[in-house]
Amino acid sequence: KSARERFNNYKPSIIEKTFRKSQAKIASLETDIAEAISKDEAEYQQAYQEYQDEYEQWKNIKDLAERIIARDANAYLEAISEVSPFQEIPEIGAGLKFSIDDELNGSLMEVDLRVRDESTIPKEVKSLLKSGKLSTKAMPKTKYYALYQDYICGCVLRIARELFVLLPLEIVIVTAIGNVLNTKTGHIEEKPILSIVIPRATLNSLNFSSLDPSD
């Protein structure tokens, strides 16, 4: 439109008429129109392709949402994979496994959480002395294991919160699995160290800004 307006409003100057440059100017303005049409078409095709991609994505999300509302177990798992609510929090554990009880109409999900080992918690306490030097001491065992316990309990609660936000579940059962020393064999074995049933109503009643995960 802008190029056409420049073409339609063009009036040769006296100099252009004198040196017969008006035809060249007209040809240049016509070229501008052609180039503008080509540019407009390219921008339109790009915008249309982006629209198609976004529309297709919207359709897929809408279809997934409808299947979730219908309590389709496979849709639950697809939603977790699609949204990846735990992707940005790798500290939450070494692995997650989800399963759904089909007999309960999609209201209950079980999660196996493979927690990270005790190396997740630092074994030293660092503090700044009055002299300005850094003091490093071994962390007391009681504090160390209290922190590890809070880590595990915090992970369990975080998993339940994310799932209740994402899916119409009523109950989440989270089992934390870790490497534990079997004193009968002397070997480290993978065993459940915490398993908890979390109803939605109970979780919603908690004040997460001030609670203690272990409590």
Side-chain angles (χ1 to χ4, degrees):
K1 181 180 178 181
S2 176
R4 284 197 178 105
E5 285 178 352
R6 289 197 300 272
F7 177 82
N8 294 331
N9 295 330
Y10 170 67
K11 293 180 180 179
S13 65
I14 296 176
I15 294 177
E16 287 175 332
K17 288 180 179 179
T18 303
F19 293 97
R20 298 179 181 179
K21 291 185 176 182
S22 59
Q23 290 302 317
K25 181 65 175 177
I26 291 172
S28 175
L29 291 171
E30 289 176 339
T31 300
D32 289 346
I33 293 174
E35 290 178 351
I37 290 173
S38 177
K39 184 179 179 181
D40 283 350
E41 178 64 20
E43 290 179 354
Y44 167 77
Q45 290 298 337
Q46 181 180 351
Y48 183 64
Q49 184 61 50
E50 290 174 357
Y51 159 76
Q52 286 185 311
D53 294 342
E54 290 177 4
Y55 180 70
E56 189 65 28
Q57 185 180 16
W58 173 82
K59 283 203 310 181
N60 292 336
I61 293 174
K62 180 175 180 289
D63 174 67
L64 180 59
E66 289 174 348
R67 290 165 55 211
I68 289 172
I69 292 172
R71 296 182 179 272
D72 181 336
N74 290 328
Y76 283 17
L77 299 178
E78 285 180 33
I80 293 172
S81 176
E82 181 75 22
V83 178
S84 301
F86 309 108
Q87 186 175 14
E88 296 181 358
I89 40 176
E91 296 84 1
I92 205 165
L96 290 164
K97 180 182 178 183
F98 306 92
S99 57
I100 303 170
D101 192 328
D102 294 329
E103 296 180 0
L104 296 176
N105 192 30
S107 63
L108 183 148
M109 175 175 282
E110 295 186 44
V111 185
D112 287 345
L113 163 67
R114 280 170 175 76
V115 296
R116 299 188 182 278
D117 59 29
E118 296 171 6
S119 63
T120 303
I121 308 299
K123 294 184 178 181
E124 295 177 337
V125 178
K126 296 182 179 181
S127 59
L128 191 64
L129 302 175
K130 290 183 179 180
S131 62
K133 293 183 178 180
L134 185 66
S135 171
T136 302
K137 296 180 180 179
M139 184 181 293
K141 287 291 184 182
T142 52
K143 183 177 181 180
Y144 177 81
Y145 285 111
L147 287 173
Y148 188 60
Q149 177 176 290
D150 279 344
Y151 154 70
I152 293 172
C153 295
C155 288
V156 167
L157 291 171
R158 178 63 182 267
I159 289 169
R161 294 183 78 186
E162 293 287 351
L163 292 176
F164 282 137
V165 167
L166 183 63
L167 304 170
L169 298 163
E170 294 303 324
I171 296 174
V172 171
I173 300 176
V174 184
T175 301
I177 301 170
N179 294 323
V180 180
L181 174 64
N182 186 336
T183 55
K184 294 181 181 179
T185 64
H187 295 296
I188 299 294
E189 298 178 2
E190 198 174 65
K191 288 186 175 182
I193 54 180
L194 172 67
S195 190
I196 181 169
V197 178
I198 307 177
R200 177 186 288 272
T202 302
L203 194 78
N204 289 343
S205 69
L206 302 179
N207 179 11
F208 282 93
S209 63
S210 57
L211 61 74
D212 178 278
S214 296
D215 291 344

